Structure formats: structure tokens, C-alpha cells
């Protein structure tokens, strides 16, 4: 559990990253003079960036803050950000992919390949339910092999930080990874090139 100070620092870091990402989304406008921008310029970024609704909300907040600053210092006299339309993207998510669980037949096919490193990684993901990045970034100190669990110590959200049980069927895979010197699963070249 994070302390209040750690959470605030994490939130500040997350907000800074979100604003930077929003600014980078405006790349087509970077060479333009701010006070010469019109609604069509801002709306063009929104319409053509291919971002999802939550990201577009952050982008609109950035526009609003930039116009608030610009009007305060008389750089421009009209706030076009309030007219930017993101509502039409509310039910659209261009990044959404259809996720369907592995079928019993697909899982059985993976077990036929259990000596294959990539099949092992996929099975560790299936049986633990963690994100790919959470497994590959897993550090040795966050794996408790005796207790059959590991801790996801870094996540996009507070609720993403959690203890995850290691399933009995994938326990040997975790044990094998830990038997080889490693910092994280991803950086463990010995594991990736091991002979079975």
C-alpha cells in the first residue's frame, strides 16, 4: 500500500505524462502560432488523432488550460477549446481489440508445447491473468515461490498493484525462471536461450 505522499507523487507523475502525451498528440500544430489557431485546427487534431475518449478528454483539458493561460495574458481573446467536440467519440475506441479467452482446445495445444519458452509465457499469462508487461517486468524480489505467489508492484492504477497466486500447473515455469539469475523475466537472456 502506498503512503499518501507516494500516491500524490505517483498522481503528479501520471498527470505530467498525460499532459505530455496530449501535447504530443497536437504535433500537427507545433509549428503554428497559438493565437492564430482556430476551432477547425483543434477539432482537426481530435478528429484525426485516432485516440480513445478518455485520452481525448485529457486533450480537451490541455486545450482549455492553454486557452485559460493565453487569455489571462492577452495572447488571444477567444477560447476555442470550449467548442471542441469529443462527444461523438464517446462510444468509439480505436484501440479496442476484441479479447476472447483461450478455448480449452487452444490451452491443450499449448500444453503439448510446454517445453517451448513462448508457450510457457503464454500459459503463465493465461493462468495468472496478468498483463504481458506485468509478467515481463516481474522482478525476482516480487516472486515468493514458497508461497506460490508474486506481487505486481507497478501498475497504471492503484488497484493494479496486487498479489497474484501462481497456479500449480505453471509453478514449474516460475521456478525455472527463478533458478536462473535474473532481474526481470524480460531481461533474462539465460532463460530465453536455455536448453531443455
Amino acid at each position: 500500500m502506498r503512503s499518501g505522499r507516494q500516491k500524490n507523487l505517483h498522481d503528479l507523475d501520471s498527470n505530467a505524462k498525460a499532459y505530455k502525451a496530449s501535447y504530443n498528440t497536437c504535433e500537427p500544430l507545433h509549428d503554428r502560432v497559438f493565437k492564430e489557431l482556430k476551432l477547425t485546427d483543434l477539432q482537426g487534431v481530435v478528429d484525426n488523432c485516432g485516440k480513445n475518449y478518455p485520452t481525448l478528454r485529457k486533450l480537451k483539458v490541455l486545450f482549455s488550460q492553454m486557452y485559460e493561460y493565453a487569455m489571462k495574458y492577452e495572447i488571444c481573446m477567444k477560447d476555442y477549446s470550449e467548442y471542441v467536440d469529443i462527444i461523438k467519440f464517446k462510444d468509439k475506441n480505436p484501440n479496442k481489440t476484441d479479447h476472447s479467452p483461450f478455448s480449452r482446445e487452444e490451452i491443450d495445444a499449448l500444453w503439448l508445447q510446454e517445453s517451448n519458452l513462448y508457450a510457457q509465457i503464454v500459459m503463465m499469462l493465461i493462468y495468472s491473468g496478468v498483463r504481458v508487461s506485468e509478467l515481463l517486468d516481474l522482478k525476482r524480489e516480487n516472486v515468493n515461490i514458497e508461497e506460490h505467489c508474486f506481487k505486481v508492484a507497478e501498475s497504471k492504477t492503484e488497484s493494479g498493484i496486487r498479489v497474484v497466486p501462481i497456479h500449480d500447473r505453471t509453478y514449474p515455469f516460475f521456478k525455472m525462471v527463478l533458478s536462473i539469475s535474473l532481474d526481470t523475466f524480460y531481461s533474462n537472456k539465460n532463460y530465453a536461450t536455455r536448453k531443455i
Side-chain angles (χ1 to χ4, degrees), residues 111-130:
W111 280 109
L112 293 174
Q113 301 293 319
E114 73 178 278
S115 62
N116 179 292
L117 162 71
Y118 303 106
Q120 291 175 7
I121 291 171
V122 171
M123 287 187 285
M124 287 189 275
L125 290 164
I126 291 170
Y127 283 83
S128 68
V130 297

PDB file of all heavy atoms in Angstrom, residues 111-130:
ATOM      1  N   TRP A 111      -0.212 -26.891 -23.983  1.00  0.00           N
ATOM      2  CA  TRP A 111       0.399 -27.871 -23.081  1.00  0.00           C
ATOM      3  C   TRP A 111       1.186 -28.921 -23.860  1.00  0.00           C
ATOM      4  O   TRP A 111       2.167 -29.475 -23.344  1.00  0.00           O
ATOM      5  CB  TRP A 111      -0.642 -28.514 -22.171  1.00  0.00           C
ATOM      6  CG  TRP A 111      -0.957 -27.615 -21.020  1.00  0.00           C
ATOM      7  CD1 TRP A 111      -2.099 -26.915 -20.803  1.00  0.00           C
ATOM      8  CD2 TRP A 111      -0.085 -27.292 -19.930  1.00  0.00           C
ATOM      9  NE1 TRP A 111      -1.999 -26.163 -19.665  1.00  0.00           N
ATOM     10  CE2 TRP A 111      -0.770 -26.375 -19.099  1.00  0.00           C
ATOM     11  CE3 TRP A 111       1.208 -27.665 -19.581  1.00  0.00           C
ATOM     12  CZ2 TRP A 111      -0.211 -25.837 -17.943  1.00  0.00           C
ATOM     13  CZ3 TRP A 111       1.768 -27.134 -18.422  1.00  0.00           C
ATOM     14  CH2 TRP A 111       1.070 -26.226 -17.620  1.00  0.00           C
ATOM     15  N   LEU A 112       0.813 -29.178 -25.084  1.00  0.00           N
ATOM     16  CA  LEU A 112       1.591 -30.106 -25.909  1.00  0.00           C
ATOM     17  C   LEU A 112       2.964 -29.515 -26.258  1.00  0.00           C
ATOM     18  O   LEU A 112       3.879 -30.241 -26.625  1.00  0.00           O
ATOM     19  CB  LEU A 112       0.831 -30.456 -27.192  1.00  0.00           C
ATOM     20  CG  LEU A 112      -0.454 -31.272 -26.997  1.00  0.00           C
ATOM     21  CD1 LEU A 112      -1.188 -31.423 -28.329  1.00  0.00           C
ATOM     22  CD2 LEU A 112      -0.141 -32.633 -26.380  1.00  0.00           C
ATOM     23  N   GLN A 113       3.083 -28.196 -26.114  1.00  0.00           N
ATOM     24  CA  GLN A 113       4.331 -27.475 -26.400  1.00  0.00           C
ATOM     25  C   GLN A 113       4.974 -26.938 -25.122  1.00  0.00           C
ATOM     26  O   GLN A 113       5.703 -25.956 -25.160  1.00  0.00           O
ATOM     27  CB  GLN A 113       4.041 -26.305 -27.353  1.00  0.00           C
ATOM     28  CG  GLN A 113       3.443 -26.690 -28.670  1.00  0.00           C
ATOM     29  CD  GLN A 113       4.426 -27.474 -29.507  1.00  0.00           C
ATOM     30  OE1 GLN A 113       5.596 -27.152 -29.558  1.00  0.00           O
ATOM     31  NE2 GLN A 113       3.938 -28.538 -30.136  1.00  0.00           N
ATOM     32  N   GLU A 114       4.724 -27.565 -23.991  1.00  0.00           N
ATOM     33  CA  GLU A 114       5.124 -26.985 -22.709  1.00  0.00           C
ATOM     34  C   GLU A 114       6.625 -26.785 -22.535  1.00  0.00           C
ATOM     35  O   GLU A 114       7.050 -26.016 -21.680  1.00  0.00           O
ATOM     36  CB  GLU A 114       4.566 -27.782 -21.535  1.00  0.00           C
ATOM     37  CG  GLU A 114       5.226 -29.115 -21.281  1.00  0.00           C
ATOM     38  CD  GLU A 114       4.632 -29.792 -20.068  1.00  0.00           C
ATOM     39  OE1 GLU A 114       5.024 -29.465 -18.941  1.00  0.00           O
ATOM     40  OE2 GLU A 114       3.752 -30.641 -20.273  1.00  0.00           O
ATOM     41  N   SER A 115       7.450 -27.426 -23.346  1.00  0.00           N
ATOM     42  CA  SER A 115       8.894 -27.194 -23.245  1.00  0.00           C
ATOM     43  C   SER A 115       9.319 -25.945 -24.024  1.00  0.00           C
ATOM     44  O   SER A 115      10.454 -25.497 -23.919  1.00  0.00           O
ATOM     45  CB  SER A 115       9.673 -28.411 -23.740  1.00  0.00           C
ATOM     46  OG  SER A 115       9.390 -28.645 -25.102  1.00  0.00           O
ATOM     47  N   ASN A 116       8.409 -25.366 -24.769  1.00  0.00           N
ATOM     48  CA  ASN A 116       8.689 -24.172 -25.555  1.00  0.00           C
ATOM     49  C   ASN A 116       8.538 -22.931 -24.667  1.00  0.00           C
ATOM     50  O   ASN A 116       7.507 -22.731 -24.019  1.00  0.00           O
ATOM     51  CB  ASN A 116       7.712 -24.107 -26.742  1.00  0.00           C
ATOM     52  CG  ASN A 116       7.917 -22.893 -27.601  1.00  0.00           C
ATOM     53  OD1 ASN A 116       7.656 -21.770 -27.175  1.00  0.00           O
ATOM     54  ND2 ASN A 116       8.356 -23.120 -28.818  1.00  0.00           N
ATOM     55  N   LEU A 117       9.573 -22.098 -24.652  1.00  0.00           N
ATOM     56  CA  LEU A 117       9.580 -20.887 -23.827  1.00  0.00           C
ATOM     57  C   LEU A 117       8.341 -20.024 -24.062  1.00  0.00           C
ATOM     58  O   LEU A 117       7.698 -19.558 -23.131  1.00  0.00           O
ATOM     59  CB  LEU A 117      10.834 -20.062 -24.119  1.00  0.00           C
ATOM     60  CG  LEU A 117      10.806 -18.600 -23.680  1.00  0.00           C
ATOM     61  CD1 LEU A 117      10.866 -18.510 -22.170  1.00  0.00           C
ATOM     62  CD2 LEU A 117      11.931 -17.821 -24.312  1.00  0.00           C
ATOM     63  N   TYR A 118       7.987 -19.820 -25.319  1.00  0.00           N
ATOM     64  CA  TYR A 118       6.872 -18.925 -25.638  1.00  0.00           C
ATOM     65  C   TYR A 118       5.538 -19.522 -25.196  1.00  0.00           C
ATOM     66  O   TYR A 118       4.664 -18.792 -24.716  1.00  0.00           O
ATOM     67  CB  TYR A 118       6.892 -18.568 -27.123  1.00  0.00           C
ATOM     68  CG  TYR A 118       8.210 -17.928 -27.504  1.00  0.00           C
ATOM     69  CD1 TYR A 118       9.162 -18.620 -28.233  1.00  0.00           C
ATOM     70  CD2 TYR A 118       8.528 -16.639 -27.062  1.00  0.00           C
ATOM     71  CE1 TYR A 118      10.391 -18.044 -28.542  1.00  0.00           C
ATOM     72  CE2 TYR A 118       9.749 -16.052 -27.370  1.00  0.00           C
ATOM     73  CZ  TYR A 118      10.677 -16.764 -28.100  1.00  0.00           C
ATOM     74  OH  TYR A 118      11.884 -16.192 -28.395  1.00  0.00           O
ATOM     75  N   ALA A 119       5.405 -20.819 -25.317  1.00  0.00           N
ATOM     76  CA  ALA A 119       4.191 -21.475 -24.819  1.00  0.00           C
ATOM     77  C   ALA A 119       4.114 -21.334 -23.301  1.00  0.00           C
ATOM     78  O   ALA A 119       3.038 -21.098 -22.741  1.00  0.00           O
ATOM     79  CB  ALA A 119       4.174 -22.944 -25.221  1.00  0.00           C
ATOM     80  N   GLN A 120       5.249 -21.448 -22.622  1.00  0.00           N
ATOM     81  CA  GLN A 120       5.275 -21.285 -21.161  1.00  0.00           C
ATOM     82  C   GLN A 120       4.840 -19.889 -20.753  1.00  0.00           C
ATOM     83  O   GLN A 120       4.046 -19.721 -19.824  1.00  0.00           O
ATOM     84  CB  GLN A 120       6.682 -21.563 -20.618  1.00  0.00           C
ATOM     85  CG  GLN A 120       7.098 -22.999 -20.712  1.00  0.00           C
ATOM     86  CD  GLN A 120       8.534 -23.209 -20.273  1.00  0.00           C
ATOM     87  OE1 GLN A 120       9.184 -22.292 -19.771  1.00  0.00           O
ATOM     88  NE2 GLN A 120       9.036 -24.424 -20.458  1.00  0.00           N
ATOM     89  N   ILE A 121       5.344 -18.882 -21.459  1.00  0.00           N
ATOM     90  CA  ILE A 121       4.981 -17.495 -21.134  1.00  0.00           C
ATOM     91  C   ILE A 121       3.478 -17.280 -21.341  1.00  0.00           C
ATOM     92  O   ILE A 121       2.801 -16.699 -20.492  1.00  0.00           O
ATOM     93  CB  ILE A 121       5.812 -16.494 -21.966  1.00  0.00           C
ATOM     94  CG1 ILE A 121       7.272 -16.531 -21.499  1.00  0.00           C
ATOM     95  CG2 ILE A 121       5.242 -15.079 -21.845  1.00  0.00           C
ATOM     96  CD1 ILE A 121       8.225 -15.746 -22.373  1.00  0.00           C
ATOM     97  N   VAL A 122       2.962 -17.784 -22.450  1.00  0.00           N
ATOM     98  CA  VAL A 122       1.528 -17.638 -22.712  1.00  0.00           C
ATOM     99  C   VAL A 122       0.724 -18.338 -21.618  1.00  0.00           C
ATOM    100  O   VAL A 122      -0.268 -17.800 -21.112  1.00  0.00           O
ATOM    101  CB  VAL A 122       1.155 -18.167 -24.114  1.00  0.00           C
ATOM    102  CG1 VAL A 122      -0.354 -18.212 -24.301  1.00  0.00           C
ATOM    103  CG2 VAL A 122       1.792 -17.300 -25.195  1.00  0.00           C
ATOM    104  N   MET A 123       1.168 -19.528 -21.191  1.00  0.00           N
ATOM    105  CA  MET A 123       0.434 -20.243 -20.141  1.00  0.00           C
ATOM    106  C   MET A 123       0.535 -19.523 -18.798  1.00  0.00           C
ATOM    107  O   MET A 123      -0.429 -19.475 -18.037  1.00  0.00           O
ATOM    108  CB  MET A 123       0.926 -21.687 -20.049  1.00  0.00           C
ATOM    109  CG  MET A 123       0.441 -22.510 -21.238  1.00  0.00           C
ATOM    110  SD  MET A 123       0.807 -24.267 -21.129  1.00  0.00           S
ATOM    111  CE  MET A 123       2.548 -24.298 -21.477  1.00  0.00           C
ATOM    112  N   MET A 124       1.694 -18.916 -18.505  1.00  0.00           N
ATOM    113  CA  MET A 124       1.804 -18.131 -17.270  1.00  0.00           C
ATOM    114  C   MET A 124       0.832 -16.957 -17.311  1.00  0.00           C
ATOM    115  O   MET A 124       0.228 -16.606 -16.291  1.00  0.00           O
ATOM    116  CB  MET A 124       3.243 -17.657 -17.057  1.00  0.00           C
ATOM    117  CG  MET A 124       4.187 -18.767 -16.634  1.00  0.00           C
ATOM    118  SD  MET A 124       5.823 -18.171 -16.127  1.00  0.00           S
ATOM    119  CE  MET A 124       6.649 -18.047 -17.686  1.00  0.00           C
ATOM    120  N   LEU A 125       0.683 -16.353 -18.481  1.00  0.00           N
ATOM    121  CA  LEU A 125      -0.268 -15.244 -18.630  1.00  0.00           C
ATOM    122  C   LEU A 125      -1.704 -15.733 -18.468  1.00  0.00           C
ATOM    123  O   LEU A 125      -2.503 -15.110 -17.766  1.00  0.00           O
ATOM    124  CB  LEU A 125      -0.089 -14.567 -19.992  1.00  0.00           C
ATOM    125  CG  LEU A 125       1.195 -13.764 -20.169  1.00  0.00           C
ATOM    126  CD1 LEU A 125       1.451 -13.470 -21.641  1.00  0.00           C
ATOM    127  CD2 LEU A 125       1.137 -12.484 -19.356  1.00  0.00           C
ATOM    128  N   ILE A 126      -2.038 -16.841 -19.114  1.00  0.00           N
ATOM    129  CA  ILE A 126      -3.400 -17.373 -19.048  1.00  0.00           C
ATOM    130  C   ILE A 126      -3.773 -17.719 -17.608  1.00  0.00           C
ATOM    131  O   ILE A 126      -4.842 -17.344 -17.123  1.00  0.00           O
ATOM    132  CB  ILE A 126      -3.551 -18.618 -19.950  1.00  0.00           C
ATOM    133  CG1 ILE A 126      -3.474 -18.220 -21.420  1.00  0.00           C
ATOM    134  CG2 ILE A 126      -4.872 -19.344 -19.663  1.00  0.00           C
ATOM    135  CD1 ILE A 126      -3.368 -19.413 -22.371  1.00  0.00           C
ATOM    136  N   TYR A 127      -2.894 -18.439 -16.935  1.00  0.00           N
ATOM    137  CA  TYR A 127      -3.221 -18.943 -15.603  1.00  0.00           C
ATOM    138  C   TYR A 127      -3.103 -17.884 -14.501  1.00  0.00           C
ATOM    139  O   TYR A 127      -3.666 -18.053 -13.433  1.00  0.00           O
ATOM    140  CB  TYR A 127      -2.350 -20.164 -15.268  1.00  0.00           C
ATOM    141  CG  TYR A 127      -2.815 -21.427 -15.946  1.00  0.00           C
ATOM    142  CD1 TYR A 127      -2.454 -21.716 -17.261  1.00  0.00           C
ATOM    143  CD2 TYR A 127      -3.638 -22.333 -15.286  1.00  0.00           C
ATOM    144  CE1 TYR A 127      -2.885 -22.874 -17.891  1.00  0.00           C
ATOM    145  CE2 TYR A 127      -4.081 -23.492 -15.908  1.00  0.00           C
ATOM    146  CZ  TYR A 127      -3.703 -23.754 -17.210  1.00  0.00           C
ATOM    147  OH  TYR A 127      -4.139 -24.897 -17.829  1.00  0.00           O
ATOM    148  N   SER A 128      -2.387 -16.793 -14.763  1.00  0.00           N
ATOM    149  CA  SER A 128      -2.275 -15.744 -13.739  1.00  0.00           C
ATOM    150  C   SER A 128      -3.228 -14.583 -14.003  1.00  0.00           C
ATOM    151  O   SER A 128      -3.644 -13.891 -13.084  1.00  0.00           O
ATOM    152  CB  SER A 128      -0.846 -15.211 -13.666  1.00  0.00           C
ATOM    153  OG  SER A 128      -0.509 -14.499 -14.850  1.00  0.00           O
ATOM    154  N   GLY A 129      -3.554 -14.331 -15.285  1.00  0.00           N
ATOM    155  CA  GLY A 129      -4.449 -13.236 -15.627  1.00  0.00           C
ATOM    156  C   GLY A 129      -3.798 -11.869 -15.624  1.00  0.00           C
ATOM    157  O   GLY A 129      -4.487 -10.856 -15.689  1.00  0.00           O
ATOM    158  N   VAL A 130      -2.470 -11.800 -15.576  1.00  0.00           N
ATOM    159  CA  VAL A 130      -1.792 -10.503 -15.563  1.00  0.00           C
ATOM    160  C   VAL A 130      -1.559 -10.013 -16.986  1.00  0.00           C
ATOM    161  O   VAL A 130      -1.635 -10.770 -17.950  1.00  0.00           O
ATOM    162  CB  VAL A 130      -0.444 -10.568 -14.797  1.00  0.00           C
ATOM    163  CG1 VAL A 130      -0.661 -10.911 -13.338  1.00  0.00           C
ATOM    164  CG2 VAL A 130       0.530 -11.527 -15.448  1.00  0.00           C
TER     165      VAL A 130
END
